């Protein structure tokens, strides 16, 4: 059965095409539309999925939307009704967008795809997250926990997934409902700290490393956690259920001090007694509160499922720092996180749910590589560079290209690589990455200078040959960590790494590593090998190929445009090498 | 002419207060970033090597303008860019204009947009020359780039369209009128739904609201297990 999954109209729109257990294509719309977090119906991603797999719309057996739109509409209506007569403006705006397109989603999707209306199906929001985590994991049976801002009404869910000879099933064991949401609490404090919601959460995580959790008790007084991980958000401090624009109240500011104005400078490490110190401490407290909550949630999930393995998804599962703590201190032996854990991932999960649960397709070992996006045709790339008179050298031999790149990196150059299919999920995993030598104290500043405009307190991540990982980063003894292949957790750097690779170690001594295997990314693996031949070190600094506030590059033109507007020393696109000195 | 009038009229409103200036500059930044994307996509799709080269250069010019405007906005008021309405940012979502229009109509569109841009920025140079010399210098530099964009698009339009050029330009005027009309239609649509929403809000909903408040609370506890859809039939339901 060929199933197209679609997510849209909330955060990150995406499409994914699944046949049986195989993921033929998956991409987030922002990569094509070049609008960050594009939430519109993902027309371009849908077209890409069909082209990539050589299918026509009529070949699709089902097209599945990642949630139940009417249930969500009901939640929005009800929460407005409860707030009456406050929030009239917000209500009328919401009605406008729903009457505009969202209530006719079946027709919209059928029209966009070009398929009959009765092929359009609807999953549930958290079920889609859960399916994406379970069916992408290698587990035959597992607890599945999904945690995000809010779906239709659920904010946190515990499922159990099982695959046996008679097929696959996912059972919902329990869920927490809106407005009680750890994800929305994290977002509210992201806004309080002056960052953009759904974008700044990473920054809060980076900021947390600079602070001390001295506001933990204060935060805990705004959100009660029950003995079995029930969560009760105090509405005197948080207003997301009453206002679309303001998620926290003046009472929260009375408790924690004034909120940070977006865009104002944040100098770190902060001077004692400064506002920056307070913000870092609040970030650290929020991070600690979230981790403690998730730990108690996992205990509850363990208790309800009796499983030893855990698959995790939902936006909160992108918190790499928390994930490490869950592996170390949580009750589960193994942890897997689906790389597109946010709402984009719902497109994949919805399709996998139809394929495995409703249609009974057998499974095949889980997600090995996140490179599911669009590749550029090397001939097109060559012609584009020629036509645009962009000086470059072409390499027929990949080994020779990577040797040259490894030498340039080892000599201190900072470059980018764009090859093959782009990544699924929010992280650059080497297919569209900026790379640098992780050694030397000045690398971090050099990279920051060349690509500019990034908050200097955000850490750079290392990509490491999987077989060398334990030399540089501490594994968790006795636990199976399946999150590092997709950069979904952090690990403490070894003493050697702290000494040798300062550019990729954050102030708290950890790194958000990506362990690279041949299966996961043949190109990055080969480049790391070439770099190790050159330097003895199989680690590279890896950050996404984009400038601030832009989606990660997809095409040759996107990649070149980043190169042209930055001071990167070189750019590899497919088998062409463009160098700053000659370009 | 109209640009000069608009610049004259808007000057006291927009170009006197830093906050408003920052907002305007942030809007310019968003517009330029949007055109940069249109041009970049055109450079990928266009098969003619010379045109694609010039489109790429154009894209990088617009991206530079975007950066300059955003930087200027940040200098005046760092909040301005964060407060830009989603509507002001939304036209950044490109519509693959080149793919939709084809080379000739696309060039006619570019020509018109660049003429308008150049006129606008030159009018601002005149208006702000004395009161805001730094901004005037910025606008002048940008206007010079726009002049080049006008020149090349005019040149290439003649070259590709030949005798059809006047017709292309007329059609472009019509289509931009049509676009403006459509935008107006959409705004009317939004108003209508707003009025409907308000009516619904105050006339129809209060009794339900009272009922709901009595029936249900925002219970923070775990909800009991429930069964999930298990057949294609059930999955067809939107609720
Ligand atoms: Fe979600
Ligand atoms: Fe411009
Ligand atoms: Fe221009």
């Amino acid at each position: 059965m060929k199933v197209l999954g679609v997510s849209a109209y909330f955060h990150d729109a995406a499409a994914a095409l699944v046949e049986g257990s195989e993921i033929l294509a998956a991409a987030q719309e922002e990569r094509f539309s070049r609008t960050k977090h594009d939430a519109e119906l993902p027309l371009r991603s849908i077209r890409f999925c069909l082209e990539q797999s050589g299918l026509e719309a009529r070949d699709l057996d089902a097209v599945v939307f990642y949630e139940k739109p009417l249930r969500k509409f009901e939640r929005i209506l009800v929460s407005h009704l409860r707030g009456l007569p406050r929030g009239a403006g917000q209500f009328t705006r919401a009605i406008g967008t729903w009457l505009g397109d969202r209530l006719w989603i079946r027709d919209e999707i059928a029209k966009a795809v070009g398929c009959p209306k009765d092929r359009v199906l609807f999953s549930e929001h958290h079920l889609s997250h859960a399916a994406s985590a379970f069916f992408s994991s290698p587990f035959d049976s597992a607890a599945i926990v999904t945690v995000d801002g809010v779906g239709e009404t659920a904010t946190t869910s515990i499922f159990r997934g099982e695959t046996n000879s008679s097929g696959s099933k996912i059972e919902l064991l329990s869920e927490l409902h809106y407005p009680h949401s750890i994800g929305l609490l994290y977002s509210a404090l992201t806004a309080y700290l002056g960052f953009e919601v759904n974008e700044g959460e990473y920054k809060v995580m980076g900021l947390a490393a600079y602070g001390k959790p001295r506001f933990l008790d204060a935060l805990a007084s705004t959100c009660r956690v029950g003995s079995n991980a029930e969560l009760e958000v105090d509405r005197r401090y948080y207003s997301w259920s009453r206002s679309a624009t303001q998620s926290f109240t003046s009472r929260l500011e009375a408790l924690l001090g004034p909120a940070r104005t977006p865009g104002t400078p944040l100098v770190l490490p902060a001077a004692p007694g400064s506002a920056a110190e307070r913000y870092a401490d609040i970030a650290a407290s929020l991070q600690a509160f979230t981790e403690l909550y998730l730990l108690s949630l996992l205990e509850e999930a363990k208790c309800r499922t009796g499983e030893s393995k855990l698959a995790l998804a939902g936006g909160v599962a992108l918190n790499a720092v928390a994930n490490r703590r869950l592996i170390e201190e949580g009750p589960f032996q193994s942890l897997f996180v689906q790389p597109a854990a946010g709402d984009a991932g719902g497109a994949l999960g919805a399709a996998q749910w139809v394929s495995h649960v409703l249609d009974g397709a057998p499974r095949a070992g889980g997600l090995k590589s996140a490179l599911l996006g669009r590749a550029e045709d090397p001939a097109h790339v060559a012609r584009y560079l020629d036509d645009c008179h962009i000086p470059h050298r072409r390499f027929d031999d990949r080994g020779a290209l990577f040797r040259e790149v490894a030498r340039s990196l080892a000599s201190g150059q900072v470059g980018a690589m764009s090859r093959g299919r782009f990544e699924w999920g929010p992280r650059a995993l080497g297919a569209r990455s900026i790379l640098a030598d992780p050694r030397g104290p000045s690398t971090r500043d050099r990279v920051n200078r060349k690509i500019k405009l990034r908050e200097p307190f955000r850490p750079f991540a290392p990509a490491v040959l999987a077989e060398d990982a334990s030399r540089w980063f501490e594994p968790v003894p006795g636990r199976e960590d399946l999150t590092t292949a997709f950069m979904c957790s952090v690990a403490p750097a070894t003493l050697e790494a702290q000494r040798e690779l300062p550019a990729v170690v954050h102030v708290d001594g950890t790194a958000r590593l990506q362990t690279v295997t041949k299966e996961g990314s043949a190109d990055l693996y080969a480049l790391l090998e070439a770099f190790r031949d050159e330097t003895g070190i199989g680690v590279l600094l890896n950050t996404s190929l984009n400038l601030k506030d832009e989606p990660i590059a997809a095409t040759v033109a996107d990649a070149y445009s980043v190169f042209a507007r930055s001071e990167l020393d070189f750019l590899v696109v497919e088998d062409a090498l463009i160098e700053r000195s000659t370009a | 002419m109209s640009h000069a009038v608009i610049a004259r009229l808007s000057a006291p409103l927009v170009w006197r207060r830093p906050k408003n200036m920052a907002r305007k500059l942030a809007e310019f930044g968003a517009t330029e970033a949007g055109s940069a994307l249109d041009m970049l996509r055109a450079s990928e799709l266009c098969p003619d090597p010379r045109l694609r080269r010039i489109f790429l250069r154009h894209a990088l010019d617009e991206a530079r303008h975007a950066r300059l405007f955003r930087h200027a906005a940040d200098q005046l008021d760092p909040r301005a860019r964060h407060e830009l309405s989603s509507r002001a940012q939304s036209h950044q979502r490109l519509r693959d204009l080149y793919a939709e229009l084809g080379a000739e109509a696309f060039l006619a569109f570019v020509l018109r947009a660049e003429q308008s841009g150049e006129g606008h920025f030159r009018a601002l140079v005149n208006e702000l020359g004395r009161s805001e010399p730094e901004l005037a210098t910025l606008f002048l530099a940008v206007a010079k780039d726009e002049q080049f964009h006008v020149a090349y698009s005019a040149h290439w339009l003649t070259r590709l369209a030949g005798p059809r050029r006047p017709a292309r330009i007329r059609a472009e005027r019509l289509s931009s009128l049509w676009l403006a009309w459509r935008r107006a239609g959409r705004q009317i649509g939004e108003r209508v739904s707003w009025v409907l929403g308000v009516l619904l809000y105050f006339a129809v909903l209060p009794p339900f609201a009272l009922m709901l408040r009595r029936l249900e609370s925002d219970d923070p506890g775990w909800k009991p297990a429930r069964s999930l859809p298990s057949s294609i039939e059930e999955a067809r339901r939107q609720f």
Side-chain angles (χ1 to χ4, degrees):
Chain A
M1 195 173 183
K2 300 178 189 74
V3 188
L4 178 74
V6 173
S7 67
Y9 293 148
F10 194 39
H11 288 145
D12 298 287
L17 185 54
V18 165
E19 181 174 14
S21 65
E22 202 184 342
I23 305 166
L24 300 177
Q28 209 165 310
E29 185 71 357
E30 65 164 26
R31 293 274 191 130
F32 298 113
S33 72
R34 314 306 301 155
T35 301
K36 223 162 189 223
H37 303 300
D38 195 337
E40 298 296 310
L41 202 60
L43 303 177
R44 297 174 185 80
S45 309
I46 292 171
R47 202 187 316 141
F48 152 70
C49 284
L50 291 172
E51 276 170 15
Q52 174 71 30
S53 42
L55 297 176
E56 304 276 342
R58 62 167 183 276
D59 302 325
L60 295 172
D61 299 291
V63 179
V64 54
F65 190 63
Y66 80 134
E67 63 183 12
K68 297 278 194 196
L70 293 184
R71 225 180 270 173
K72 184 176 223 166
F73 186 54
E74 183 197 353
R75 187 252 301 162
I76 290 171
L77 266 181
V78 167
S79 90
H80 281 292
L81 286 174
R82 292 237 179 82
L84 219 69
R86 272 173 307 186
Q90 195 197 336
F91 173 80
T92 48
R93 232 173 302 135
I95 288 284
T97 46
W98 279 87
L99 290 179
D101 40 28
R102 294 170 196 202
L103 284 180
W104 328 114
I105 179 101
R106 186 194 304 274
D107 306 67
E108 296 270 329
I109 289 180
K111 200 171 83 195
V113 177
C115 69
K117 278 189 228 171
D118 64 356
R119 301 247 167 108
V120 181
L121 310 178
F122 299 87
S123 173
E124 292 183 12
H125 191 105
H126 277 249
L127 174 59
S128 298
H129 279 314
S132 78
F134 181 60
F135 293 120
S136 302
S137 82
F139 307 147
D140 284 335
S141 81
I144 313 168
V145 171
T146 58
V147 195
D148 65 3
V150 58
E152 293 92 353
T153 49
T155 61
T156 305
S157 308
I158 299 173
F159 299 85
R160 201 180 144 268
E162 186 179 345
T163 299
N164 55 32
S165 52
S166 61
S168 294
K169 64 174 182 194
I170 290 181
E171 306 163 279
L172 172 65
L173 302 179
S174 202
E175 57 192 9
L176 296 176
H177 279 191
Y178 184 84
H180 306 293
S181 164
I182 190 77
L184 289 175
L185 181 97
Y186 207 99
S187 295
L189 279 137
T190 298
Y192 170 93
L193 289 168
F195 301 111
E196 220 170 306
V197 170
N198 196 32
E199 168 67 28
E201 282 82 356
Y202 297 131
K203 299 176 191 170
V204 174
M205 208 174 71
L207 181 58
Y210 287 88
K212 292 189 192 59
R214 66 183 164 102
F215 291 95
L216 185 57
D217 289 342
L219 271 183
S221 73
T222 69
C223 181
R224 194 185 63 83
V225 178
S227 58
N228 54 355
E230 288 171 341
L231 191 74
E232 185 173 12
V233 169
D234 189 335
R235 291 171 167 232
R236 290 173 304 170
Y237 297 98
Y238 302 104
S239 49
W240 57 73
S241 61
R242 308 190 290 276
S243 164
T245 46
Q246 185 65 30
S247 52
F248 57 89
T249 64
S250 53
R251 198 169 175 135
L252 189 76
E253 290 191 271
L255 182 71
L256 302 176
R260 175 172 166 263
T261 306
T264 51
L266 197 56
V267 182
L268 292 162
S274 65
E277 184 189 47
R278 183 169 59 85
Y279 295 132
D281 289 346
I282 291 172
S285 311
L286 172 64
Q287 182 66 31
F289 183 79
T290 306
E291 290 168 11
L292 290 171
Y293 175 69
L294 291 175
L295 280 169
S296 73
L297 175 63
L298 263 51
E299 292 293 346
E300 182 66 16
K302 170 90 187 169
C303 184
R304 283 177 187 258
T305 62
E307 294 290 335
S308 63
K309 296 169 177 174
L310 174 68
L312 198 60
V316 177
L318 289 169
N319 193 312
V321 177
N323 288 347
R324 171 71 181 200
R325 195 154 169 204
L326 300 184
I327 301 165
E328 282 178 351
E329 297 175 35
F332 291 95
Q333 283 304 310
S334 311
L335 176 66
F336 174 82
V337 176
Q338 198 264 120
D343 279 351
L348 174 63
Q352 289 173 315
W353 171 68
V354 171
S355 182
H356 293 294
V357 176
L358 297 190
D359 191 48
R363 293 179 57 198
L367 184 68
K368 296 286 186 306
S369 168
L371 305 183
L372 301 169
R374 185 173 167 279
E376 287 274 79
D377 173 9
H380 165 78
V381 170
R383 214 168 70 93
Y384 186 81
L385 297 178
D386 285 340
D387 286 352
C388 291
H389 290 196
I390 296 168
H392 63 280
R393 283 185 288 151
R394 244 168 265 164
F395 289 75
D396 295 328
D397 173 15
R398 186 181 76 165
L401 171 62
F402 286 174
R403 275 194 299 282
E404 171 113 15
V405 167
R407 265 198 300 278
S408 305
L409 291 170
S411 75
Q413 293 197 359
V414 179
M417 182 160 86
S418 167
R419 279 173 63 94
R421 299 178 70 173
F422 65 68
E423 301 87 349
W424 169 240
R427 307 262 154 78
L429 300 171
R432 303 289 184 277
S433 284
I434 290 171
L435 302 164
D437 187 339
R439 298 172 300 172
S442 62
T443 304
R444 190 193 296 253
D445 288 341
R446 209 167 56 245
V447 179
N448 268 327
R449 212 168 47 239
K450 283 178 193 284
I451 55 181
K452 285 176 281 211
L453 294 176
R454 183 193 146 100
E455 288 80 3
F457 60 85
R458 291 177 63 196
F460 286 114
V464 56
L465 287 168
E467 60 266 31
D468 292 358
S470 61
R471 174 178 166 194
W472 305 106
F473 307 102
E474 309 276 3
V476 188
R479 294 277 162 108
E480 186 185 27
D481 177 0
L482 300 172
T483 62
T484 55
F486 306 125
M487 240 176 159
C488 288
S489 69
V490 301
T494 60
L495 286 177
E496 188 182 14
Q498 296 192 20
R499 201 174 53 236
E500 301 289 324
L501 315 175
V504 292
V505 179
H506 199 30
V507 283
D508 59 0
T510 67
R512 197 182 67 202
L513 75 161
Q514 176 197 359
T515 49
V516 183
T517 59
K518 229 179 240 174
E519 250 183 328
S521 168
D523 279 338
L524 184 58
Y525 187 86
L527 178 61
L528 281 165
E529 280 191 318
F531 188 72
R532 186 174 58 183
D533 290 344
E534 191 68 31
T535 64
I537 288 173
V539 186
L540 284 169
L541 177 154
N542 166 21
T543 185
S544 52
L545 177 49
N546 61 338
L547 296 183
K548 192 173 176 244
D549 299 332
E550 292 176 7
I552 305 174
T555 64
V556 51
D558 299 337
Y560 181 73
S561 146
V562 173
F563 177 77
R565 289 177 293 142
S566 66
E567 288 166 37
L568 291 174
D569 297 303
F570 66 85
L571 168 68
V572 172
V573 189
E574 297 308 322
D575 48 12
L577 173 64
I578 305 160
E579 285 158 294
R580 174 72 54 196
S581 42
T582 53
Chain B
M1 176 59 205
S2 66
H3 285 303
V5 174
I6 291 169
R8 168 66 42 84
L9 291 176
S10 67
L13 293 170
V14 176
W15 301 105
R16 295 290 177 268
R17 292 181 51 209
K19 199 174 155 126
N20 294 353
M21 280 159 69
R23 193 174 56 223
K24 203 72 202 159
L25 288 164
E27 276 172 27
F28 286 169
T31 310
E32 299 284 315
S35 346
L37 290 177
D38 283 334
M39 298 316 301
L40 198 62
R41 199 55 71 232
S43 85
E44 284 186 306
L45 295 175
C46 171
D48 184 299
R50 290 156 304 178
L51 211 42
R52 105 190 306 194
R53 181 159 71 242
I54 217 161
F55 284 159
L56 174 61
R57 176 175 164 191
H58 188 166
L60 294 174
D61 282 347
E62 302 298 1
R64 194 176 60 248
H65 299 167
R67 189 166 51 81
L68 291 170
F69 285 136
R70 285 170 170 172
H71 180 73
D74 285 347
Q75 297 286 303
L76 285 166
D77 181 355
R79 275 165 306 184
R81 281 210 285 143
H82 298 267
E83 286 167 5
L84 258 200
S85 70
S86 57
R87 180 179 303 211
Q89 288 171 328
S90 67
H91 62 264
Q92 267 201 46
R93 190 175 201 268
L94 82 170
R95 286 179 36 224
D96 288 336
L97 282 178
Y98 183 89
E100 274 177 45
L101 298 174
E104 284 179 30
F106 180 74
L107 279 164
F109 171 84
V110 170
L111 173 57
R112 218 187 79 94
E114 296 297 329
Q115 278 170 335
S116 159
E118 188 194 350
H120 191 180
F121 291 129
R122 287 204 189 276
L124 285 173
V125 173
N126 288 335
E127 197 52 45
L128 302 178
R130 252 175 251 151
S131 57
E132 294 288 340
E134 272 179 40
L135 274 185
T137 314
L138 168 62
F139 287 134
L140 185 63
V142 170
K144 281 185 181 152
D145 286 338
E146 311 299 19
Q147 187 180 2
F148 162 68
H149 301 156
V150 171
Y152 95 77
S153 51
H155 171 80
W156 274 90
L157 183 60
T158 310
R159 205 159 151 177
L160 292 187
R164 291 185 305 277
R165 183 188 151 133
R168 276 292 178 199
I169 288 180
R170 270 199 308 277
E172 165 48 34
R173 285 220 180 98
L174 281 176
S175 80
S176 47
L177 280 178
W178 183 73
L179 277 179
W181 175 81
R182 234 180 21 169
R183 213 172 300 137
R186 196 171 157 170
Q187 272 169 14
I188 291 168
E190 279 173 16
R191 297 251 163 80
V192 170
S193 72
W194 186 82
V195 169
L196 269 178
V198 170
L199 274 178
L200 204 63
Y201 203 88
F202 289 107
V204 186
L205 298 182
F208 289 99
L210 276 176
M211 210 171 68
L212 268 170
R213 246 184 264 183
R214 238 184 279 159
L215 275 177
E216 244 184 297
S217 64
D218 288 332
D219 174 17
W222 287 105
K223 308 289 174 214
R226 63 182 169 84
S227 62
L228 297 167
S230 60
S231 67
I232 297 278
E233 261 330 298
E234 285 177 80
R236 285 214 176 90
R237 290 211 306 255
Q238 299 193 46
F239 50 87

